[in-house]
Amino acid sequence: MQETTKRFLQYMDSEQIKYEAKEREEKDWVGVKYNGNNINTISIQFFFDLGGKDVALRVFTIAKVPQNKTADMLKTLNELMVEYRWLRFYLDADNEVTASYDATITAETAAPVAKELMFRTLNIVDECYPRIMQTLWA
């Protein structure tokens, strides 16, 4: 496992935050689940680069979007990205709303940066979920 991943997991252990972790060929993977105020479960996945230089954070399947709502959802996601400029929202190949955050890290910065990204992402996804669902139901 990469040193960046190890340091993040040490932080998680010290804060008694439950997680799953797997060392993989392409990138180390860490998964964390939280309950939100607006969304039942937010599953955040971290992908730590094997070179130890970056981390990619993803929240998959925030909502499944039917074809007839694609244009409206893209408009909503663009509006959210203007308001929350660091977190990127998009429709993936399965037409599901996904959130992503990418950051450059080092072994020394891995834990504080990944922690900050995790909590920012949790808050933003939870805040944005009602607007995403409103677009689906409109």
Side-chain angles (χ1 to χ4, degrees):
M1 202 163 273
Q2 292 297 307
E3 186 62 27
T4 51
T5 311
K6 289 178 189 175
R7 295 216 184 169
F8 179 56
L9 296 181
Q10 288 170 351
Y11 163 77
M12 300 290 275
D13 290 339
S14 72
E15 294 295 314
Q16 299 178 350
I17 298 173
K18 294 179 183 179
Y19 61 86
E20 293 179 66
K22 293 180 186 171
E23 185 174 8
R24 300 179 355 184
E25 279 186 39
E26 322 83 57
K27 296 179 182 250
D28 289 342
W29 174 85
V30 177
V32 181
K33 291 184 181 183
Y34 279 94
N35 295 326
N37 294 320
N38 297 308
I39 184 172
N40 288 337
T41 303
I42 303 169
S43 298
I44 298 180
Q45 298 183 45
F46 295 85
F47 301 92
F48 288 87
D49 177 68
L50 292 186
K53 295 180 181 176
D54 67 70
V55 62
L57 183 149
R58 300 290 182 268
V59 180
F60 298 109
T61 317
I62 296 169
K64 295 181 182 202
V65 181
Q67 283 301 125
N68 67 331
K69 294 289 186 173
T70 297
D72 292 337
M73 185 59 71
L74 289 172
K75 183 177 184 278
T76 297
L77 298 180
N78 284 337
E79 291 169 359
L80 292 174
M81 285 189 294
V82 169
E83 292 176 44
Y84 301 93
R85 63 189 182 124
W86 296 108
L87 188 67
R88 190 169 59 112
F89 287 97
Y90 61 92
L91 289 180
D92 66 14
D94 297 322
N95 230 39
E96 296 176 346
V97 176
T98 298
S100 70
Y101 217 137
D102 299 306
T104 302
I105 56 172
T106 64
E108 293 76 26
T109 63
V113 168
K115 173 197 80 143
E116 182 69 21
L117 295 180
M118 178 174 62
F119 289 119
R120 281 186 188 201
T121 299
L122 286 167
N123 289 329
I124 293 170
V125 169
D126 194 48
E127 283 178 26
C128 294
Y129 186 73
R131 286 175 59 188
I132 291 168
M133 295 311 292
Q134 182 178 8
T135 300
L136 285 179
W137 297 331

